[in-house]
Amino acid sequence: ARVEFLDYDVLAERGWSLADDDLFEKAAESGLDGDAYGEVFVEPRTNLLKAAEDAGHSWPFACRGGACANCAVAVVDGEVKMPSNHILSEEMLDQGVRLSCISLPVTDDLQVVYNIEHLPGLDELRL
Ligand code: FES
């Protein structure tokens, strides 16, 4: 799967929102550096976090086991599956929040905002 990614810090700095329809178009046109915006390819049975790391990126994580939410991402387009979820609320799932350390792509193309630790509701989850 092909994953287009964007750092949440960029949204915070520029006043962009996860709900912006043209979020990734704006990112593509903004001359962001390769850590903040770009794409990675995810092999079958590989989680998003691992794929990003294999491509040389440093995305936040701690437990690597679906228990802390440090690795949380917002899936803006496309679909991933998680084998289990013990910490994300229904509301967060509805917003597209997923744990990158255990998320496997379902669709061929994904748009993902990583580093969303400052998204309301996530702070109190991180252990
Ligand atoms: Fe802890 Fe993914 S690193 S849930």
Side-chain angles (χ1 to χ4, degrees):
R2 175 182 158 278
V3 178
E4 192 178 2
F5 66 83
L6 177 61
D7 186 345
Y8 187 75
D9 280 350
V10 174
L11 279 70
E13 281 166 23
R14 301 188 181 225
W16 297 348
S17 160
L18 284 173
D20 292 350
D21 286 340
D22 59 348
L23 180 61
F24 277 79
E25 283 84 352
K26 287 189 292 196
E29 292 165 359
S30 294
L32 298 167
D33 74 49
D35 283 331
Y37 169 77
E39 61 181 44
V40 293
F41 290 88
V42 188
E43 301 294 339
R45 292 181 298 283
T46 303
N47 64 64
L48 298 185
L49 177 64
K50 172 87 165 52
E53 290 175 335
D54 287 350
H57 301 290
S58 308
W59 289 9
F61 71 91
C63 73
R64 291 186 185 277
C68 75
N70 281 276
C71 69
V73 299
V75 177
V76 172
D77 190 50
E79 201 182 319
V80 300
K81 65 177 176 205
M82 296 191 293
S84 60
N85 166 48
H86 302 296
I87 53 175
L88 297 178
S89 67
E90 282 300 319
E91 189 186 351
M92 282 186 271
L93 290 171
D94 285 348
Q95 289 177 1
V97 176
R98 299 291 185 273
L99 304 172
S100 68
C101 70
I102 56 170
S103 284
L104 307 176
V106 173
T107 50
D108 287 339
D109 290 287
L110 289 160
Q111 289 180 327
V112 164
V113 176
Y114 77 97
N115 195 25
I116 61 168
E117 55 190 338
H118 301 301
L119 201 66
L122 275 183
D123 270 338
E124 62 260 34
L125 277 182
R126 288 182 300 128
L127 306 174

